[in-house]
Amino acid sequence: IIVTPQDKKLENYYLFRNNFINCSHTIHIPKIKFNIKNVYSRLYNNKVLLTSKTEGSPQVVKEAMAVGCPIVSVDVGDVKERLIGVDNSYVAQTRDATELADLIHKVLQINSRTNGRERIIELGLDNKQVAEKLIEIYSQIPKPKYLK
């Protein structure tokens, strides 16, 4: 899956198109109405390429990790920290198309799931741990006087 911002030109797609024109494993989805079952189903059966110029903590990376989907990304946001110790997932040193193509080729050759789910749990980012943290935070907020 090539993930690009929907509100920008698909410059990243065109940059990589020549490298993957004959690759049956690559899917380009320029616009899609996201339904969570659809997203997880697509992630489980594919690979993620993230070429964003700016990110904070990209949700697609965490979702891909949760289902064991291999990831190739540029060094953006917290992706490098998230992928420490995750098998068959890589962060490129540059934004060079050749380097990214080589990493994608490596992922396709290995053709296996990742241990991303274990890393998500280790980082405390699975649904249960996030929900527990939110409950703890919300329970510490004082009630307004009119609710007492």
Side-chain angles (χ1 to χ4, degrees):
I1 298 174
I2 295 179
V3 181
T4 58
Q6 291 184 16
D7 61 334
K8 295 182 179 180
K9 291 181 182 177
L10 298 175
E11 61 191 73
N12 293 324
Y13 169 71
Y14 294 113
L15 178 66
F16 297 104
R17 179 178 63 182
N18 294 335
N19 292 306
F20 308 113
I21 200 75
N22 295 317
C23 179
S24 63
H25 298 293
T26 302
I27 300 170
H28 171 61
I29 307 172
K31 291 186 180 183
I32 184 169
K33 289 185 179 180
F34 286 101
N35 157 324
I36 200 66
K37 285 183 182 178
N38 186 9
V39 170
Y40 286 126
S41 170
R42 286 179 187 275
L43 286 175
Y44 185 81
N45 294 307
N46 289 290
K47 285 69 173 155
V48 168
L49 170 62
L50 183 69
T51 60
S52 300
K53 291 181 181 178
T54 60
E55 290 283 352
S57 184
Q59 190 65 25
V60 69
V61 169
K62 291 176 276 195
E63 290 167 345
M65 290 171 68
V67 296
C69 176
I71 301 161
V72 172
S73 177
V74 295
D75 188 2
V76 64
D78 65 359
V79 175
K80 186 184 282 185
E81 292 80 23
R82 297 286 180 234
L83 293 181
I84 291 172
V86 177
D87 301 331
N88 201 24
S89 291
Y90 305 95
V91 177
Q93 300 296 315
T94 67
R95 293 180 168 275
D96 178 66
T98 303
E99 180 187 3
L100 288 164
D102 289 344
L103 291 174
I104 290 170
H105 182 70
K106 192 174 181 178
V107 163
L108 294 173
Q109 280 187 319
I110 295 171
N111 196 29
S112 70
R113 312 300 309 149
T114 74
N115 59 333
R117 176 82 183 137
E118 290 81 12
R119 178 73 173 139
I120 286 289
I121 293 168
E122 177 186 317
L123 292 169
L125 297 173
D126 62 290
N127 290 345
K128 183 178 180 192
Q129 291 181 68
V130 169
E132 288 170 355
K133 288 176 192 173
L134 286 172
I135 290 168
E136 182 182 331
I137 289 168
Y138 291 147
S139 67
Q140 293 174 7
I141 298 172
K143 287 184 180 177
K145 290 180 182 178
Y146 63 88
L147 291 177
K148 291 182 180 180

